[in-house]
Amino acid sequence: MRLVSIETGVMRHAEGSCLIKVGNTHVLCTASVEDRTPPFLKNTGLGWVTAEYGMLPRATNTRNRREAATGKQGGRTVEIQRLIGRALRAGVDRSALGERQIVIDCDVIQADGGTRCASITGAWVALRLAVDKLMKAGQIVSDPMIGHVAAVSCGIYAGQPVLDLDYDEDSAAGVDGNFVMLGDGRLIEVQMSGEGAVFARAQMDQLLTLAEKGVSALVAAQKAAL
């Protein structure tokens, strides 16, 4: 794992916030509580957690045009924010959350590989802080958080299994994977693909073992930050 740090309470107005740094990938994560749910959940007693993801123009080595300037989100952005939302909802008892929505915003300040994984890991901390605030105010009776949620990338780089790929490793990896897990090791989502190479079952098992170690380290960082 690259060096991981999580600083909480970095945004004054958000119910929960943190700045997560995984190596040279830095992501600002905020959680905003809304006293409403999407229309499809009206009168169900269930809450909702959703996410939005974005990258600042100079988060990368060359400037990327703001998506707002083009009038639409790119496919990668939509994919990542849906992944963040799915991952977080897997760690939440939505009936205990009640009929309210928590919106997570993940803004990549600096990118060096693994931005979606860093976003998920930081987003969980922001969500935890927002839920703690609701519980302290007596708006939630029982804790809706099932467990920690964290994510890490793994891949086959130069023929070797590698944990937590940076950009140079990721861009040249023969196999690339993202692993989203609960703190107890149960899997939420696995995204694996051959990037110009194929992989054997034994290699996939190696990457999963690495991912378990990485998520364990990330959960420890989450606990230390809280």
Side-chain angles (χ1 to χ4, degrees), residues 125-146:
V125 173
L127 178 61
R128 173 76 268 181
L129 291 169
V131 167
D132 285 347
K133 192 169 185 177
L134 288 170
M135 292 181 66
K136 187 176 181 180
Q139 295 177 267
I140 293 179
V141 177
S142 60
D143 190 357
M145 303 292 278
I146 296 170

Side-chain angles (χ1 to χ4, degrees), residues 145-209:
M145 303 292 278
I146 296 170
H148 287 254
V149 175
V152 71
S153 65
C154 297
I156 306 294
Y157 172 72
Q160 298 296 320
V162 177
L163 173 65
D164 187 28
L165 289 78
D166 61 22
Y167 176 77
D168 289 339
E169 293 166 337
D170 184 43
S171 60
V175 176
D176 183 24
N178 297 298
F179 297 81
V180 188
M181 300 182 186
L182 286 169
D184 61 11
R186 286 180 291 169
L187 292 165
I188 295 173
E189 187 155 341
V190 177
Q191 300 175 333
M192 281 193 68
S193 61
E195 303 286 346
V198 295
F199 54 96
R201 169 67 180 269
Q203 289 176 305
M204 184 173 70
D205 290 342
Q206 283 181 310
L207 296 184
L208 179 57
T209 299

